[in-house]
Amino acid sequence: MIGFHAAELYLIYRYMHCFFDRERTPVWKSAAVSVVYLAVVCLMDTLTCKYIVQIVLIDLLAQRYHGKQGKKLFAAFLIQGMNLLCETLAVCLLYDGRVDGVYDTAMYYAIFLFMYLCERIMEKFCIRHIKEDTALRHWDLLIFLPVISIMIAFVLITFDRTDRETGAVVSAGLIGLNLIVFYICDELAGAYVKLMERAMVEQQLESYSNQLNIVMKSEECVRGLRHDLKNHLSELLLMAEGNRTQEIAAYVQTMQQELTNDKEHISSGNAAVDSLMNLKLEQAKKVLPHVRCRISVPQELQIQVFDWNIILGNLMDNAIRAAAESEEKLLEIHISYQRGMLLIQMKNSYCGALVRCGDQYLSTKEEDCMEEQLHGLGMKNVKRIVEKYNGSMEVCDEGQLFEVRILMYVPF
């Protein structure tokens, strides 16, 4: 029944949008994949193996979305498991017997109704955070739940059971169990996202605290100079009357050193940028001998402080960590603003080979697996903020130098 399978395909897409962002494939490709799915499913409608084939087809549909392969396979098993459980529940409740594996129209309506209700429940209550790439990593473990559900549903729907009440209870119980487990997983994912946001806020508070200490130390130096300014001027006047220019230059140089705060590396006037970058540059100069920084931004830009923290915090953390492990130990930062365009360029040296997976760079070192997952996660967050301001981000590596270039359109 092609109408039923078309409706089933519609629900599959709704499920996909619970797990992944909207696909960016051309319309004709989406239509072609949908036609292939419908053709194969309709041809195999009367075969028992169609349930296994559908898992493969759903996994192929998931390839149009951006995400990990484990997550796509998990989505395929979950969708097929929930649909098969709904079909089993409808059969156990409403169907008196099957002839050549063919259902009547009323049965198809009942199956679709159960499938639609399950999808809506999962969309509204059970899956709200799993779409985030930060949500879950161990999809290979979580996949066992829908796999076991499929096996039980397959046994119930394949063999003619006289005790249909038991079959209905088992099917409904498995549907509820799947929904409860994924609700718990979604809550854990949401908690993890909140922990990450809290970590970003804590870093922001740390940068403000560091900037406050810088300001207080600078203010203390200015007060000390103002207190002794009369004596300094008198000494300089005596040196000038004696035409002792070298002593004047040395004296002025000493005064400059007294006024210099070694923890204030930049002073652009933008509080958000200065506070964060002074903190990160202080960390960088402890481990890197070659740090060059040029920052020229207005005091006020229509960029949220939290967004500054995500962009500069992640880029600086990744760059410092990679440069510290290299021989050159080089870090260059250039941030400028002109005519509504904010340019951020960050270049650092690195050691070892880089492997690119899509638009992400991964390390070849096994021991850096967890660290690189966090690195890729940070870059995704940076890209998300850049796209928020209608900007673009380019990442390249050449000659053991890793460079990130960001251009954002920000009104003054």
Side-chain angles (χ1 to χ4, degrees), residues 219-237 251 255 258-259:
E219 181 67 21
E220 182 180 352
C221 292
V222 171
R223 285 200 305 267
L225 178 64
R226 184 184 300 123
H227 180 269
D228 298 329
L229 184 59
K230 183 177 180 180
N231 296 330
H232 292 315
L233 292 176
S234 299
E235 185 66 25
L236 288 172
L237 181 60
Y251 196 91
M255 292 177 62
E258 288 293 326
L259 289 173

Side-chain angles (χ1 to χ4, degrees), residues 9 13 23 25-38 61 64:
L9 179 62
Y13 281 133
E23 76 278 8
T25 54
V27 177
W28 67 270
K29 285 187 177 181
S30 301
V33 174
S34 301
V35 170
V36 171
Y37 173 87
L38 291 174
L61 291 175
R64 305 176 343 177

Side-chain angles (χ1 to χ4, degrees), residues 23 92 142 181 210 213 228 269 279 313 327 345-346:
E23 76 278 8
C92 292
L142 197 59
V181 170
N210 180 74
N213 292 333
D228 298 329
L279 175 64
E327 296 181 1
Q345 291 179 292
M346 201 163 296

Side-chain angles (χ1 to χ4, degrees), residues 183-234:
Y183 172 77
I184 294 174
C185 291
D186 188 75
E187 289 297 312
L188 292 175
Y192 180 72
V193 171
K194 290 180 180 178
L195 284 175
M196 291 191 59
E197 293 178 351
R198 180 179 176 181
M200 297 297 291
V201 172
E202 289 178 352
Q203 178 177 264
Q204 183 177 330
L205 292 176
E206 183 183 2
S207 64
Y208 279 146
S209 176
N210 180 74
Q211 187 67 15
L212 179 60
N213 292 333
I214 291 175
V215 172
M216 292 178 64
K217 185 175 180 180
S218 299
E219 181 67 21
E220 182 180 352
C221 292
V222 171
R223 285 200 305 267
L225 178 64
R226 184 184 300 123
H227 180 269
D228 298 329
L229 184 59
K230 183 177 180 180
N231 296 330
H232 292 315
L233 292 176
S234 299

Side-chain angles (χ1 to χ4, degrees), residues 314 316-326 371-372 374-375:
N314 281 299
M316 288 294 293
D317 287 341
N318 294 335
I320 294 171
R321 181 171 57 249
E325 297 175 354
S326 67
E371 186 175 288
E372 292 302 325
L374 296 175
H375 170 80

